[in-house]
Amino acid sequence: MEKQVIKISVRNLVEFILRSGDIDNRIASQDKDAMQLGAKIHRKIQRQMGASYQAEVTLRRVVEFDKLCIQVEGRADGIIAEDTVYVDEIKGVFTDLERLREPIPVHLAQAKCYACIYAMQQELTVIGVQMTYCNMETEEIKRFRQEYKAEELEAWFQELVLQYEKWGRFQIEWREIRNHSVKQVEFPYAYREGQKNLVTSVYRTILRKKKLFIQAPTGVGKTIATIFPAVKAVGEGLGERIFYLTAKTITRTAASQAFELLKEQDLRYKVITLTAKEKICFCEKADCNPEYCPYAKGHFDRVNDAVYELITSRDDMSRAVLEEQAKKWQVCPFELGLDVSTWMDAIICDYNYVFDPSVHLKRFFGEGIKGENLFLIDEAHNLVERGREMYSASLYKEDVLKIKRQVKLLDVRLARRLEECNKQLLELKRECDGVTVLNSAAHIYLKLLTVMAELERFLEEHKENAVREEVLEFYFEVRTFISVYEKLDENYMIYAELTEDGRFQVRLFCVNPAVNLKEYMEKGNSTIFFSATLLPIHYYKELLSTEKDDYAVYAETAFSEEQRILLQAVDVSTRYTLRGETMYQRYAEYLYRMAKVKKGNYMAFFPSYKFLEQVYDAFSEKIKEEDELRCLVQAPYMSEEAREIFLEGFEESQRGSLMGFCVMGGIFSEGIDLANERLIGAAVVGTGLPQVCRERELLRSYFDGRGLNGFDYAYVYPGMNKVQQSAGRVIRTEKDRGVILLLDERFSEQRYRNTFPREWKGIRLCRIHTVEEQLQEFWDESSSK
């Protein structure tokens, strides 16, 4: 029988097997090679090397073992054909090259792997390694050369690959167990209306290596309807692993429960849910260095053994399991989780672990890595704004000045560079009248390269200084700005702004994140976007994908029209010109009448905290003692405990009615599941339009300039998404009955109606003097069924 082949890149092999020592966040330079800047430096050096230099040489070596073959592959930066052949490995760094006395061991190990592979292919007895370090600010170059006997390199390389053999063997043995178990698994329920079509669409999309957008109304069971076909696809070799991505903790829980449900059919599937560093850290604060944290000290000496023991003994990688293993082996629980994820069949995590250039999982999404991942993106409507934020960057003049003042007595060179940068920003500030769109920020970018080099030197020389933490934070801000600048294209706007709090910023604003998202989606086979509010679909296709042939499915709702009444008020408005005490009183009256017709739990969603407070005050005045009507009010910046207390108020069995006052787009307007009698009505106050601000107006002008309706893209579509999310809190199961009030006359306008989901086709109009009768009629009919 033909042996299975496990592939691993040269870089991943050496970084995995040869890592040792401490986690130390005080070493600012440890990840600089991941920056985009390096690629330009590589190309420039390669062009200067002459005719004897062959650039970007793909190398591959298969090492055979009893039960498998391991294929080690990668691209050498250059092969130099001299009397002795040299393999060149180029690294772009910010470090002062005078301080670099010898090659960094992990870099040298990469070059030695390439040298060994090339020597064997060309039957050389001796081969040289050249380490080329280039300072990315000054472009100064420092080279280290060393010759090796091919037989010495071969023995070293064989030992390196041998250490990886048990990991490769685990992959093959586990894959057989997993794939055999997948064959037995069936969909765990009787299919609901439209659900089988949804499952088929997901599988077909994965089979064809495409993208699919799913508008999946509440009740469709979108979580299990996407996970089940993806699991089947992995079992049939159509993907390597599943990434289930979401923006909310509660949806991560639903995904985890779906996998557990399939495991009841004896599915063997290794699943991990990644927890944020701040939540899983054992220390009071996540300060990752060996002097503060005992788990950081010697972490890399022990972590591989901790990982191997865990993945070979358990399938369940819950937070509790990871914490227990981390304590046993004295390693960081967060980093342990990231390492364990490498060997998982499914990873449930936040969007940023895949798409955010600053924090993504580099083992899966680093430069040059291509995997066969399947991306299931839940609540995909959130990815537009999250994407914009991930790929944008700001530099504040005040931050530059603050760091300059803090270091001026400690480091004259750094202070001088910061002053030069400050002068550039001051010049822009003088020319800025509120907000100024800039054609370029090249001069700031070039200056920041020099600042970056000095910041690195400062951080290396001042590991214990009191200002170090703030300098390190500023360093990451600068690094992000430089990295984002490298991505600038027609999907960006650059602007300078005097903010409302008096600060001055230069912002690289990613208007359309689709191109940047594509870079990471291409590291997978297929992507499924799904949400209960993915309308209008063309808006999300435009901003989340660059392809024109993506599939789209509108899943049929499992609920009947009789389960709810949808009313739109035509005699109230949230327009700024109509706001006032009379209007607040009328809104309060609507809420009061809704709660009086039938006792139960209700939520009202408002466009802002200010509007909420005005209506709440008016509502409170209407309540009489005999009404048995209580209120709960969402506060800004609620802690997790405060949120839980708020939701605990929505219990099924309680006297009288409860009215929850919430903000649209906030923590209670999506991702919460109050089924049965826990919520029987929702009032949505206003069209949810974002407040007019400079960035929204820039969005508007950007899309207008591309022949699209800028107002819809900047305001209407994001606003109506919040409206649909808020309304979706009602009717969560086939037994639920409930009321949805859309309280704004603007909902009658065609531009808003065009965004309504199909399920809203039975909408009826109401006024303050008719609403009570219409609601009473609905509840009477419901009770008779």
Side-chain angles (χ1 to χ4, degrees):
M1 192 174 77
E2 194 174 327
K3 292 177 182 176
Q4 289 193 49
V5 177
I6 293 293
K7 296 178 182 179
I8 186 168
S9 71
V10 167
R11 179 170 178 168
N12 282 358
L13 177 66
V14 299
E15 288 183 354
F16 177 61
I17 295 297
L18 300 180
R19 59 186 176 170
S20 63
D22 311 326
I23 300 174
D24 196 343
N25 64 356
R26 297 170 303 177
I27 304 170
S29 58
Q30 60 188 357
D31 187 39
K32 54 188 167 291
D33 191 48
M35 292 188 66
Q36 295 282 317
L37 293 166
K40 285 188 177 180
I41 293 290
H42 275 57
R43 288 192 292 274
K44 188 169 183 178
I45 293 171
Q46 287 165 340
R47 284 196 298 269
Q48 295 168 350
M49 292 300 292
S52 65
Y53 192 92
Q54 186 183 356
E56 300 297 325
V57 178
T58 299
L59 295 170
R60 191 174 290 115
R61 171 81 181 274
V62 176
V63 180
E64 200 167 326
F65 293 94
D66 287 346
K67 295 184 177 180
L68 75 155
C69 296
I70 294 176
Q71 180 171 300
V72 183
E73 54 195 2
R75 263 204 318 245
D77 292 325
I79 304 292
I80 308 167
E82 297 177 352
D83 292 339
T84 298
V85 173
Y86 276 83
V87 170
D88 191 24
E89 181 70 14
I90 304 169
K91 297 294 179 185
V93 297
F94 285 109
T95 309
D96 181 355
L97 296 184
E98 284 296 312
R99 301 167 63 87
L100 200 61
R101 303 292 180 203
E102 58 185 15
I104 293 164
V106 74
H107 296 165
L108 181 60
Q110 272 183 261
K112 284 169 69 177
C113 283
Y114 292 132
C116 177
I117 296 169
Y118 192 79
M120 184 189 179
Q121 287 177 355
Q122 303 300 317
E123 298 181 349
L124 304 175
T125 56
V126 174
I127 191 167
V129 166
Q130 174 172 287
M131 289 302 309
T132 301
Y133 286 97
C134 179
N135 184 288
M136 289 201 272
E137 178 218 340
T138 63
E139 297 192 9
E140 178 193 351
I141 287 174
K142 187 169 189 175
R143 292 188 170 94
F144 299 93
R145 277 194 163 197
Q146 191 167 343
E147 288 186 10
Y148 295 92
K149 289 181 180 176
E151 61 188 44
E152 290 173 0
L153 281 179
E154 178 66 19
W156 173 84
F157 181 77
Q158 288 287 346
E159 174 59 29
L160 186 69
V161 180
L162 179 63
Q163 289 182 58
Y164 189 72
E165 186 268 342
K166 70 174 184 179
W167 300 89
R169 187 160 23 92
F170 162 77
Q171 282 178 268
I172 287 171
E173 290 170 357
W174 172 252
R175 197 178 292 156
E176 286 176 6
I177 293 167
R178 179 197 69 194
N179 292 355
H180 178 73
S181 76
V182 168
K183 290 187 176 114
Q184 325 298 322
V185 176
E186 296 181 352
F187 196 74
Y189 304 114
Y191 283 111
R192 295 177 187 171
E193 182 76 29
Q195 202 173 38
K196 189 167 188 177
N197 180 45
L198 192 55
V199 168
T200 306
S201 298
V202 171
Y203 184 85
R204 193 178 293 132
T205 302
I206 294 169
L207 182 66
R208 295 174 183 171
K209 298 190 174 184
K210 295 282 203 177
K211 296 193 189 81
L212 172 65
F213 288 80
I214 304 172
Q215 164 65 14
T218 304
V220 167
K222 57 187 169 61
T223 307
I224 192 68
T226 51
I227 285 176
F228 171 72
V231 166
K232 290 298 248 186
V234 169
E236 288 164 24
L238 301 177
E240 201 173 338
R241 71 180 57 79
I242 297 167
F243 278 91
Y244 191 100
L245 309 174
T246 174
K248 297 275 192 303
T249 303
I250 194 158
T251 37
R252 291 198 275 280
T253 304
S256 181
Q257 289 168 346
F259 281 108
E260 289 304 315
L261 189 64
L262 295 177
K263 286 183 181 183
E264 289 175 13
Q265 300 179 49
D266 296 325
L267 171 69
R268 297 292 307 278
Y269 222 74
K270 293 188 184 292
V271 182
I272 188 170
T273 300
L274 295 180
T275 305
K277 183 189 286 189
E278 290 70 25
K279 288 186 178 179
I280 202 170
C281 180
F282 293 144
C283 302
E284 276 187 37
K285 66 172 183 172
D287 194 357
C288 309
N289 70 72
E291 291 187 13
Y292 175 78
C293 174
Y295 298 93
K297 189 169 183 61
H299 166 92
F300 292 116
D301 300 329
R302 300 181 295 274
V303 71
N304 282 7
D305 291 334
V307 170
Y308 191 77
E309 180 183 81
L310 193 56
I311 64 173
T312 52
S313 60
R314 302 193 65 133
D315 295 357
D316 164 41
M317 304 294 165
S318 66
R319 176 175 172 176
V321 168
L322 289 170
E323 288 175 338
E324 182 186 339
Q325 186 75 348
K327 284 176 179 171
K328 176 181 175 181
W329 285 88
Q330 193 82 355
V331 294
C332 167
F334 177 70
E335 292 293 335
L336 175 66
L338 298 187
D339 280 336
V340 166
S341 71
T342 307
W343 311 97
M344 296 295 98
D345 306 308
I347 300 165
I348 303 169
C349 59
D350 188 271
Y351 301 149
N352 62 3
Y353 288 102
V354 173
F355 298 119
D356 190 330
S358 303
V359 298
H360 67 228
L361 299 170
K362 291 177 177 59
R363 49 187 51 77
F364 298 116
F365 306 110
E367 198 177 335
I369 296 170
K370 170 80 172 82
E372 298 197 356
N373 305 302
L374 306 179
F375 300 120
L376 306 182
I377 304 180
D378 198 356
E379 306 291 0
H381 60 276
N382 286 306
L383 190 53
V384 173
E385 290 302 331
R386 284 286 298 275
R388 281 180 179 146
E389 196 53 44
M390 286 175 197
Y391 304 118
S392 298
S394 292
L395 180 69
Y396 284 91
K397 179 184 178 301
E398 289 72 20
D399 291 349
V400 174
L401 203 55
K402 181 179 79 171
I403 299 299
K404 188 201 102 169
R405 287 170 179 157
Q406 287 179 335
V407 303
K408 66 181 179 182
L409 298 177
L410 295 168
D411 195 310
V412 175
R413 274 169 56 187
L414 174 56
R416 192 183 304 126
R417 294 285 186 246
L418 289 166
E419 178 54 29
E420 290 166 0
C421 186
N422 182 56
K423 282 179 180 175
Q424 286 184 332
L425 294 171
L426 182 61
E427 200 172 311
L428 285 172
K429 183 179 179 180
R430 284 173 180 153
E431 296 169 3
C432 183
D433 183 18
V435 63
T436 306
V437 176
L438 305 173
N439 292 322
S440 170
H443 62 305
I444 294 170
Y445 161 73
L446 292 170
K447 186 58 66 182
L448 285 177
L449 288 179
T450 68
V451 169
M452 186 82 167
E454 296 301 338
L455 283 168
E456 285 227 344
R457 182 185 51 75
F458 177 90
L459 290 166
E460 285 175 17
E461 292 175 0
H462 298 82
K463 290 189 176 175
E464 305 303 326
N465 200 283
V467 302
R468 190 181 192 285
E469 198 168 317
E470 286 186 70
V471 174
L472 184 62
E473 195 175 316
F474 178 70
Y475 163 83
F476 286 124
E477 286 173 19
V478 171
R479 191 174 83 162
T480 299
F481 193 94
I482 290 171
S483 185
V484 169
Y485 183 88
E486 292 281 316
K487 295 177 180 290
L488 290 186
D489 59 14
E490 69 277 7
N491 297 296
Y492 277 83
M493 295 184 82
I494 309 171
Y495 67 90
E497 180 188 29
L498 278 163
T499 61
E500 288 180 4
D501 60 1
R503 281 155 58 87
F504 178 74
Q505 69 164 334
V506 172
R507 182 153 173 82
L508 310 176
F509 179 38
C510 180
V511 179
N512 184 346
V515 170
N516 288 324
L517 292 170
K518 179 188 178 185
E519 181 186 336
Y520 297 101
M521 288 179 200
E522 285 181 336
K523 295 179 186 294
N525 287 355
S526 184
T527 302
I528 314 295
F529 302 93
F530 53 103
S531 168
T533 57
L534 215 54
L535 297 173
I537 207 87
H538 70 81
Y539 168 74
Y540 291 100
K541 279 187 168 184
E542 178 84 26
L543 297 180
L544 296 178
S545 175
T546 60
E547 311 298 329
K548 300 302 175 196
D549 60 348
D550 295 331
Y551 301 147
V553 170
Y554 198 127
E556 294 296 323
T557 179
F559 304 145
S560 68
E561 270 191 66
E562 290 75 36
Q563 284 183 250
R564 56 117 177 94
I565 183 171
L566 177 62
L567 298 176
Q568 184 221 320
V570 294
D571 54 354
V572 283
S573 177
T574 54
R575 293 180 196 272
Y576 284 99
T577 53
L578 297 175
R579 293 184 183 185
E581 190 56 36
T582 304
M583 191 59 72
Y584 298 138
Q585 287 289 343
R586 186 171 291 182
Y587 272 112
E589 187 64 29
Y590 264 108
L591 302 184
Y592 183 70
R593 293 187 182 198
M594 177 172 69
K596 284 287 287 175
V597 169
K598 180 176 174 63
K599 288 183 178 179
N601 297 338
Y602 298 86
M603 279 186 173
F605 295 94
F606 294 86
S608 67
Y609 282 104
K610 188 176 180 182
F611 205 109
L612 179 156
E613 287 163 6
Q614 298 285 359
V615 177
Y616 171 72
D617 289 343
F619 184 83
S620 300
E621 290 170 10
K622 293 181 182 295
I623 300 175
K624 307 178 193 72
E625 195 173 324
E626 62 269 22
D627 288 336
E628 293 185 328
L629 179 52
R630 295 188 305 117
C631 296
L632 285 173
V633 181
Q634 178 184 345
Y637 313 114
M638 290 176 86
S639 66
E640 211 161 310
E641 186 183 2
R643 295 179 206 176
E644 286 173 13
I645 292 168
F646 184 95
L647 290 173
E648 282 168 8
F650 288 81
E651 295 304 325
E652 291 181 31
S653 54
Q654 56 185 337
R655 290 174 58 197
S657 287
L658 172 67
M659 182 65 70
F661 285 76
C662 307
V663 174
M664 254 189 282
I667 49 178
F668 301 119
S669 65
E670 64 175 284
I672 61 164
D673 202 4
L674 298 172
N676 304 317
E677 297 292 310
R678 293 185 70 194
L679 191 69
I680 64 167
V684 184
V685 177
T687 53
L689 302 190
Q691 283 190 314
V692 176
C693 66
R694 288 163 177 168
E695 203 155 89
R696 284 283 141 191
E697 286 299 291
L698 289 171
L699 280 174
R700 179 178 181 169
S701 66
Y702 174 90
F703 288 110
D704 277 340
R706 276 153 182 74
L708 300 163
N709 190 313
F711 183 75
D712 286 353
Y713 271 69
Y715 293 99
V716 174
Y717 299 153
M720 286 304 295
N721 187 278
K722 289 190 283 185
V723 168
Q724 291 171 41
Q725 281 291 333
S726 300
R729 297 314 95 210
V730 182
I731 314 296
R732 308 296 295 180
T733 74
E734 290 165 351
K735 294 179 181 177
D736 290 2
R737 297 284 182 275
V739 174
I740 299 169
L741 294 186
L742 301 180
L743 300 180
D744 198 312
E745 46 85 19
R746 282 184 285 182
F747 287 118
S748 297
E749 294 177 22
Q750 201 57 47
R751 76 182 332 151
Y752 297 103
R753 291 262 166 162
N754 288 342
T755 69
F756 282 12
R758 289 176 194 168
E759 307 82 67
W760 286 12
K761 61 180 181 290
I763 190 168
R764 292 152 60 185
L765 303 180
C766 70
R767 296 178 180 275
I768 194 69
H769 60 270
T770 66
V771 68
E772 216 165 343
E773 185 182 334
Q774 288 167 291
L775 291 174
Q776 189 65 61
E777 186 183 331
F778 167 75
W779 288 118
D780 289 345
E781 287 177 6
S782 294
S783 61
S784 65
K785 288 179 180 175

